[in-house]
Amino acid sequence: MRAKRLTTAGLGIALGFALLAGPARAQTAAPTRDDIVAKLNRFEQAAEVDLPALKQQVMERAKTRIKNDPGPVNRPLIAPDLARLPAFNAQIQFDADTPIIQPASYQTVGRIADALVHSSLLPYTFLIVGHVESNSKTREANAILSQRRADAIRDVLVNTFKISTKRLHPIGLGEEQLLDRARPTSAVNGQLQILTYAKLPEEPPHPAAPAPAAKKPAKKR
C-alpha cells in the first residue's frame, strides 16, 4: 500500500511538471512555415500607404513634444490602414537596445524566409514592421531602434536566405502604433510584424528574338 501511495504521488508530481513545462515549450517553439503562410495568404487589397512619407511622419511625431499628449493608450495610430493587411507577428529576440538578432530567433527568421518563397506568396511584396514597447527611452530613440531592427531582418532575409530585395520593405513604427495599446509596456508591443503589402507588378513579356536570316546558297562557279 505504501509503495502504491508513493507511486501515485510520484505520478502526480511528474504530471504537475509536465503541465508547467508544456506552456513554456509552446511559447518558445518557432512557428512552422505553414503557420506563417496561413497568416499571410489572405491578401485582398493593397494599403494606401506612402512608405517614405510614413517614415518621415514617424520620426517627426516621435520628436514632437506635445503639451497635452494623450499618452500611448490614447495616442492615435499613425498608419491605421496597416491593421487591415494580413499579418504575422513574430517574437524576434534582439540584444538590448540593438538591432542584433539573438541566436534563439534564427529559426523563426528562417521559417519566415521559407514562407516567403512558398508558391502562394511569391506574387507579393511584404512590409517588415518594427515596433518597440513604451519604456524609459525617448520616443525618437525607440523609432530609430525599430527601424534598425526592421532593416536587420530585411538584411538577413536578403543576404542569407536570398529573398529578393524588391519584395521587402522595412519600416520602424517605434511606439507610434502599439500592438496592444491597453498595455503599452507589454513585451507584445516589441513584436516584429510581417505584412502582405501588395502584388508584385507584372513584368512585360520579353519580345521574341528575331529568327536568324536563312543563309543563301553559295553560287556555283
Side-chain angles (χ1 to χ4, degrees), residues 1-9:
M1 290 297 293
R2 185 176 180 182
K4 185 175 181 180
R5 283 197 299 271
L6 288 173
T7 302
T8 304

Side-chain angles (χ1 to χ4, degrees), residues 4-218:
K4 185 175 181 180
R5 283 197 299 271
L6 288 173
T7 302
T8 304
L11 287 173
I13 293 170
L15 180 60
F17 279 120
L19 291 172
L20 288 172
R25 284 197 299 268
Q27 289 173 2
T28 58
T32 68
R33 180 203 64 172
D34 291 342
D35 291 337
I36 301 170
V37 171
K39 294 278 189 181
L40 298 178
N41 192 20
R42 294 180 287 117
F43 179 82
E44 295 180 359
Q45 186 176 358
E48 297 294 330
V49 178
D50 182 333
L51 291 178
L54 178 57
K55 287 183 181 181
Q56 185 175 353
Q57 291 166 12
V58 169
M59 291 309 304
E60 288 177 351
R61 195 169 94 165
K63 290 178 183 178
T64 303
R65 299 292 180 267
I66 303 173
K67 184 176 180 181
N68 296 317
D69 180 17
V73 174
N74 298 311
R75 192 177 295 140
L77 301 179
I78 198 164
D81 284 352
L82 296 185
R84 293 193 282 270
L85 293 176
F88 169 69
N89 292 11
Q91 188 66 52
I92 304 293
Q93 301 294 332
F94 296 91
D95 286 353
D97 302 327
T98 78
I100 299 172
I101 304 165
Q102 292 187 0
S105 292
Y106 291 165
Q107 186 179 30
T108 297
V109 178
R111 297 280 172 81
I112 291 171
D114 289 342
L116 296 186
V117 296
H118 188 273
S119 59
S120 64
L121 296 182
L122 280 176
Y124 298 102
T125 63
F126 299 88
L127 297 183
I128 303 171
V129 185
H131 300 271
V132 178
E133 66 272 21
S134 185
N135 53 42
S136 60
K137 294 180 173 50
T138 66
R139 286 163 59 190
E140 181 182 2
N142 284 335
I144 293 170
L145 178 60
S146 68
Q147 181 66 56
R148 293 176 67 201
R149 287 178 170 178
D151 289 341
I153 296 295
R154 186 271 314 273
D155 292 346
V156 172
L157 290 173
V158 170
N159 298 326
T160 302
F161 296 101
K162 309 307 178 186
I163 305 298
S164 171
T165 188
K166 67 182 180 181
R167 299 180 63 211
L168 304 173
H169 305 284
I171 183 164
L173 299 184
E175 55 180 292
E176 306 307 311
Q177 184 144 319
L178 296 176
L179 298 173
D180 185 351
R181 296 168 75 191
R183 299 183 299 153
T185 60
S186 169
V188 170
N189 291 307
Q191 291 180 341
L192 181 132
Q193 288 185 301
I194 307 294
L195 305 180
T196 309
Y197 180 53
K199 281 194 172 182
L200 280 167
E202 295 184 5
E203 295 184 359
H206 295 291
K215 291 184 178 180
K216 295 181 179 180

